[in-house]
Amino acid sequence: YTGEINDYHKADIWTVDLRDGATRQLTEGPGGKFHPVWSPDSQRVLFAQSLDPAISYSQANLYAVSISDLRVVNLTADFPHDLVGWHGVWFDEAGRVFISAALGTTTAIFRRGETGFEPVVEVDAPLHSFHIAPDGGIAYVASSPADVPALL
């Protein structure tokens, strides 16, 4: 966007129609929007964005943009933990959202429930990535100072 060295502070999410190449901008504004994920019903795109758009390493929150009206909602506004992981958002077959986040000195996978995000797996090691199967099964890669990354 800007041509400046810190151009990553300005990144938006777009869609491209594969039939005719038409583009549509879904987000606009300061700050980078990263790791977009379609919701299972294709009605929203979830993405991570730093709370302070001028500081790329400030705490990332999870947002959802509605495809119909482009309304953006912060899904983790009351979530006190840092999101972690390159692909840190998944859905199960029921459409429930799962995220990975730092939990003190450990890492956890959280599921969004009626009262917010609740931990479902806690790992006493850095969690690198995870995947949620349609039936809700969880696989993840973690490591420790004494062990190389392993699929668990």
Tab-separated table of all heavy atoms in Angstrom, residues 17-49:
chain	number	residue	atom	x	y	z
A	17	ASP	N	-13.040	-13.288	-7.279
A	17	ASP	CA	-13.954	-14.219	-7.923
A	17	ASP	C	-13.166	-14.972	-8.989
A	17	ASP	O	-12.649	-14.360	-9.934
A	17	ASP	CB	-15.124	-13.460	-8.550
A	17	ASP	CG	-16.200	-14.384	-9.073
A	17	ASP	OD1	-15.859	-15.387	-9.733
A	17	ASP	OD2	-17.386	-14.099	-8.833
A	18	LEU	N	-13.054	-16.276	-8.843
A	18	LEU	CA	-12.233	-17.059	-9.759
A	18	LEU	C	-12.840	-17.179	-11.154
A	18	LEU	O	-12.146	-17.512	-12.105
A	18	LEU	CB	-11.988	-18.453	-9.181
A	18	LEU	CG	-11.187	-18.463	-7.874
A	18	LEU	CD1	-11.029	-19.884	-7.355
A	18	LEU	CD2	-9.839	-17.808	-8.061
A	19	ARG	N	-14.125	-16.879	-11.292
A	19	ARG	CA	-14.755	-16.950	-12.618
A	19	ARG	C	-14.387	-15.751	-13.480
A	19	ARG	O	-14.058	-15.895	-14.649
A	19	ARG	CB	-16.266	-17.063	-12.482
A	19	ARG	CG	-16.720	-18.365	-11.841
A	19	ARG	CD	-18.186	-18.297	-11.555
A	19	ARG	NE	-18.359	-17.220	-10.551
A	19	ARG	CZ	-19.234	-17.242	-9.585
A	19	ARG	NH1	-20.072	-18.224	-9.480
A	19	ARG	NH2	-19.305	-16.260	-8.722
A	20	ASP	N	-14.466	-14.544	-12.888
A	20	ASP	CA	-14.255	-13.349	-13.708
A	20	ASP	C	-13.122	-12.443	-13.223
A	20	ASP	O	-12.837	-11.421	-13.839
A	20	ASP	CB	-15.544	-12.543	-13.816
A	20	ASP	CG	-16.050	-12.030	-12.471
A	20	ASP	OD1	-15.302	-12.087	-11.473
A	20	ASP	OD2	-17.205	-11.568	-12.418
A	21	GLY	N	-12.477	-12.811	-12.102
A	21	GLY	CA	-11.357	-12.020	-11.600
A	21	GLY	C	-11.755	-10.780	-10.826
A	21	GLY	O	-10.895	-10.005	-10.412
A	22	ALA	N	-13.054	-10.573	-10.616
A	22	ALA	CA	-13.516	-9.398	-9.871
A	22	ALA	C	-13.015	-9.474	-8.428
A	22	ALA	O	-13.039	-10.532	-7.802
A	22	ALA	CB	-15.036	-9.318	-9.896
A	23	THR	N	-12.569	-8.329	-7.895
A	23	THR	CA	-12.072	-8.276	-6.527
A	23	THR	C	-13.056	-7.516	-5.642
A	23	THR	O	-13.818	-6.674	-6.112
A	23	THR	CB	-10.702	-7.580	-6.457
A	23	THR	OG1	-10.825	-6.251	-6.956
A	23	THR	CG2	-9.658	-8.351	-7.251
A	24	ARG	N	-13.008	-7.838	-4.359
A	24	ARG	CA	-13.842	-7.145	-3.366
A	24	ARG	C	-13.018	-6.985	-2.098
A	24	ARG	O	-12.483	-7.958	-1.558
A	24	ARG	CB	-15.100	-7.953	-3.071
A	24	ARG	CG	-16.006	-7.280	-2.067
A	24	ARG	CD	-17.279	-8.065	-1.865
A	24	ARG	NE	-18.156	-7.390	-0.943
A	24	ARG	CZ	-18.929	-8.017	-0.072
A	24	ARG	NH1	-18.976	-9.333	-0.037
A	24	ARG	NH2	-19.691	-7.324	0.755
A	25	GLN	N	-12.917	-5.760	-1.611
A	25	GLN	CA	-12.169	-5.490	-0.389
A	25	GLN	C	-13.082	-5.731	0.804
A	25	GLN	O	-14.168	-5.158	0.905
A	25	GLN	CB	-11.666	-4.045	-0.385
A	25	GLN	CG	-10.743	-3.745	0.756
A	25	GLN	CD	-10.092	-2.381	0.640
A	25	GLN	OE1	-10.280	-1.654	-0.335
A	25	GLN	NE2	-9.304	-2.029	1.640
A	26	LEU	N	-12.621	-6.584	1.744
A	26	LEU	CA	-13.423	-6.916	2.923
A	26	LEU	C	-13.068	-6.078	4.142
A	26	LEU	O	-13.904	-5.873	5.011
A	26	LEU	CB	-13.256	-8.399	3.275
A	26	LEU	CG	-13.651	-9.409	2.212
A	26	LEU	CD1	-13.466	-10.820	2.740
A	26	LEU	CD2	-15.077	-9.184	1.741
A	27	THR	N	-11.809	-5.647	4.240
A	27	THR	CA	-11.388	-4.836	5.387
A	27	THR	C	-10.692	-3.586	4.878
A	27	THR	O	-10.163	-3.561	3.773
A	27	THR	CB	-10.413	-5.611	6.294
A	27	THR	OG1	-9.230	-5.918	5.569
A	27	THR	CG2	-11.044	-6.870	6.846
A	28	GLU	N	-10.712	-2.562	5.720
A	28	GLU	CA	-10.041	-1.315	5.374
A	28	GLU	C	-9.649	-0.628	6.664
A	28	GLU	O	-10.373	-0.662	7.645
A	28	GLU	CB	-10.967	-0.410	4.559
A	28	GLU	CG	-10.280	0.819	4.034
A	28	GLU	CD	-11.185	1.622	3.100
A	28	GLU	OE1	-12.337	1.245	2.900
A	28	GLU	OE2	-10.694	2.631	2.598
A	29	GLY	N	-8.502	-0.007	6.663
A	29	GLY	CA	-8.075	0.725	7.842
A	29	GLY	C	-6.652	0.400	8.203
A	29	GLY	O	-6.016	-0.462	7.600
A	30	PRO	N	-6.133	1.082	9.216
A	30	PRO	CA	-4.742	0.888	9.599
A	30	PRO	C	-4.519	-0.501	10.184
A	30	PRO	O	-5.435	-1.142	10.688
A	30	PRO	CB	-4.505	1.979	10.642
A	30	PRO	CG	-5.849	2.271	11.195
A	30	PRO	CD	-6.811	2.047	10.062
A	31	GLY	N	-3.298	-0.945	10.113
A	31	GLY	CA	-2.922	-2.219	10.716
A	31	GLY	C	-2.960	-3.371	9.738
A	31	GLY	O	-3.689	-3.343	8.756
A	32	GLY	N	-2.144	-4.368	10.036
A	32	GLY	CA	-2.129	-5.577	9.223
A	32	GLY	C	-3.235	-6.519	9.653
A	32	GLY	O	-3.566	-6.609	10.828
A	33	LYS	N	-3.822	-7.178	8.692
A	33	LYS	CA	-4.814	-8.218	8.944
A	33	LYS	C	-4.234	-9.500	8.378
A	33	LYS	O	-3.968	-9.574	7.187
A	33	LYS	CB	-6.159	-7.910	8.268
A	33	LYS	CG	-6.884	-6.732	8.878
A	33	LYS	CD	-6.507	-5.508	8.127
A	33	LYS	CE	-7.237	-4.269	8.634
A	33	LYS	NZ	-6.536	-3.078	8.163
A	34	PHE	N	-4.024	-10.508	9.245
A	34	PHE	CA	-3.255	-11.676	8.848
A	34	PHE	C	-3.994	-12.980	9.130
A	34	PHE	O	-4.906	-13.027	9.942
A	34	PHE	CB	-1.910	-11.682	9.580
A	34	PHE	CG	-1.102	-10.445	9.305
A	34	PHE	CD1	-1.039	-9.416	10.230
A	34	PHE	CD2	-0.431	-10.300	8.105
A	34	PHE	CE1	-0.303	-8.266	9.969
A	34	PHE	CE2	0.309	-9.156	7.823
A	34	PHE	CZ	0.371	-8.138	8.758
A	35	HIS	N	-3.559	-14.036	8.468
A	35	HIS	CA	-4.036	-15.394	8.663
A	35	HIS	C	-5.558	-15.517	8.484
A	35	HIS	O	-6.247	-16.038	9.350
A	35	HIS	CB	-3.621	-15.937	10.035
A	35	HIS	CG	-2.197	-15.669	10.372
A	35	HIS	ND1	-1.145	-16.171	9.638
A	35	HIS	CD2	-1.630	-14.930	11.348
A	35	HIS	CE1	-0.006	-15.754	10.157
A	35	HIS	NE2	-0.259	-15.004	11.189
A	36	PRO	N	-6.101	-15.044	7.369
A	36	PRO	CA	-7.552	-15.141	7.170
A	36	PRO	C	-8.015	-16.589	7.028
A	36	PRO	O	-7.320	-17.420	6.451
A	36	PRO	CB	-7.784	-14.360	5.872
A	36	PRO	CG	-6.484	-14.410	5.153
A	36	PRO	CD	-5.421	-14.451	6.215
A	37	VAL	N	-9.188	-16.877	7.598
A	37	VAL	CA	-9.792	-18.207	7.559
A	37	VAL	C	-11.286	-18.045	7.296
A	37	VAL	O	-11.965	-17.283	7.998
A	37	VAL	CB	-9.586	-18.946	8.905
A	37	VAL	CG1	-10.265	-20.307	8.898
A	37	VAL	CG2	-8.115	-19.079	9.236
A	38	TRP	N	-11.804	-18.746	6.294
A	38	TRP	CA	-13.250	-18.730	6.025
A	38	TRP	C	-13.982	-19.488	7.116
A	38	TRP	O	-13.537	-20.551	7.545
A	38	TRP	CB	-13.568	-19.410	4.700
A	38	TRP	CG	-13.299	-18.605	3.486
A	38	TRP	CD1	-12.224	-18.717	2.657
A	38	TRP	CD2	-14.119	-17.564	2.943
A	38	TRP	NE1	-12.326	-17.798	1.636
A	38	TRP	CE2	-13.476	-17.086	1.787
A	38	TRP	CE3	-15.334	-16.984	3.331
A	38	TRP	CZ2	-14.008	-16.064	1.012
A	38	TRP	CZ3	-15.860	-15.973	2.561
A	38	TRP	CH2	-15.195	-15.514	1.419
A	39	SER	N	-15.129	-18.988	7.545
A	39	SER	CA	-15.993	-19.746	8.451
A	39	SER	C	-16.635	-20.875	7.650
A	39	SER	O	-16.764	-20.780	6.428
A	39	SER	CB	-17.058	-18.837	9.065
A	39	SER	OG	-17.931	-18.353	8.065
A	40	PRO	N	-17.045	-21.960	8.308
A	40	PRO	CA	-17.632	-23.094	7.590
A	40	PRO	C	-18.870	-22.727	6.768
A	40	PRO	O	-19.125	-23.337	5.732
A	40	PRO	CB	-17.986	-24.083	8.692
A	40	PRO	CG	-17.100	-23.728	9.825
A	40	PRO	CD	-16.890	-22.243	9.726
A	41	ASP	N	-19.625	-21.739	7.206
A	41	ASP	CA	-20.825	-21.340	6.460
A	41	ASP	C	-20.528	-20.298	5.383
A	41	ASP	O	-21.435	-19.810	4.710
A	41	ASP	CB	-21.908	-20.826	7.405
A	41	ASP	CG	-21.490	-19.578	8.169
A	41	ASP	OD1	-20.400	-19.011	7.908
A	41	ASP	OD2	-22.264	-19.151	9.051
A	42	SER	N	-19.264	-19.926	5.219
A	42	SER	CA	-18.803	-18.945	4.222
A	42	SER	C	-19.429	-17.562	4.394
A	42	SER	O	-19.419	-16.761	3.473
A	42	SER	CB	-19.066	-19.459	2.798
A	42	SER	OG	-18.367	-20.646	2.569
A	43	GLN	N	-19.926	-17.261	5.574
A	43	GLN	CA	-20.544	-15.966	5.825
A	43	GLN	C	-19.601	-14.964	6.479
A	43	GLN	O	-19.909	-13.779	6.547
A	43	GLN	CB	-21.792	-16.134	6.703
A	43	GLN	CG	-22.867	-16.978	6.053
A	43	GLN	CD	-23.278	-16.426	4.700
A	43	GLN	OE1	-23.662	-15.275	4.577
A	43	GLN	NE2	-23.179	-17.249	3.666
A	44	ARG	N	-18.447	-15.458	6.977
A	44	ARG	CA	-17.476	-14.590	7.641
A	44	ARG	C	-16.067	-15.027	7.280
A	44	ARG	O	-15.834	-16.184	6.947
A	44	ARG	CB	-17.602	-14.681	9.165
A	44	ARG	CG	-18.931	-14.296	9.720
A	44	ARG	CD	-18.986	-14.500	11.228
A	44	ARG	NE	-18.825	-15.921	11.539
A	44	ARG	CZ	-18.437	-16.394	12.716
A	44	ARG	NH1	-18.163	-15.571	13.706
A	44	ARG	NH2	-18.303	-17.680	12.924
A	45	VAL	N	-15.140	-14.081	7.401
A	45	VAL	CA	-13.716	-14.388	7.344
A	45	VAL	C	-13.130	-13.947	8.675
A	45	VAL	O	-13.326	-12.798	9.093
A	45	VAL	CB	-13.017	-13.671	6.176
A	45	VAL	CG1	-11.510	-13.886	6.235
A	45	VAL	CG2	-13.571	-14.142	4.844
A	46	LEU	N	-12.453	-14.851	9.355
A	46	LEU	CA	-11.778	-14.526	10.603
A	46	LEU	C	-10.322	-14.201	10.295
A	46	LEU	O	-9.732	-14.779	9.378
A	46	LEU	CB	-11.856	-15.692	11.578
A	46	LEU	CG	-13.159	-15.803	12.379
A	46	LEU	CD1	-14.352	-16.020	11.488
A	46	LEU	CD2	-13.059	-16.896	13.413
A	47	PHE	N	-9.742	-13.281	11.070
A	47	PHE	CA	-8.353	-12.880	10.850
A	47	PHE	C	-7.772	-12.326	12.136
A	47	PHE	O	-8.496	-11.925	13.045
A	47	PHE	CB	-8.249	-11.852	9.719
A	47	PHE	CG	-8.998	-10.566	9.980
A	47	PHE	CD1	-8.369	-9.483	10.567
A	47	PHE	CD2	-10.334	-10.457	9.635
A	47	PHE	CE1	-9.052	-8.306	10.810
A	47	PHE	CE2	-11.033	-9.275	9.868
A	47	PHE	CZ	-10.391	-8.200	10.460
A	48	ALA	N	-6.441	-12.312	12.199
A	48	ALA	CA	-5.733	-11.742	13.347
A	48	ALA	C	-5.285	-10.331	12.998
A	48	ALA	O	-4.929	-10.039	11.858
A	48	ALA	CB	-4.528	-12.602	13.702
A	49	GLN	N	-5.329	-9.456	13.999
A	49	GLN	CA	-4.852	-8.087	13.840
A	49	GLN	C	-4.344	-7.589	15.184
A	49	GLN	O	-4.937	-7.864	16.229
A	49	GLN	CB	-5.964	-7.160	13.346
A	49	GLN	CG	-5.500	-5.728	13.153
A	49	GLN	CD	-6.591	-4.816	12.605
A	49	GLN	OE1	-7.723	-5.216	12.389
A	49	GLN	NE2	-6.237	-3.576	12.375
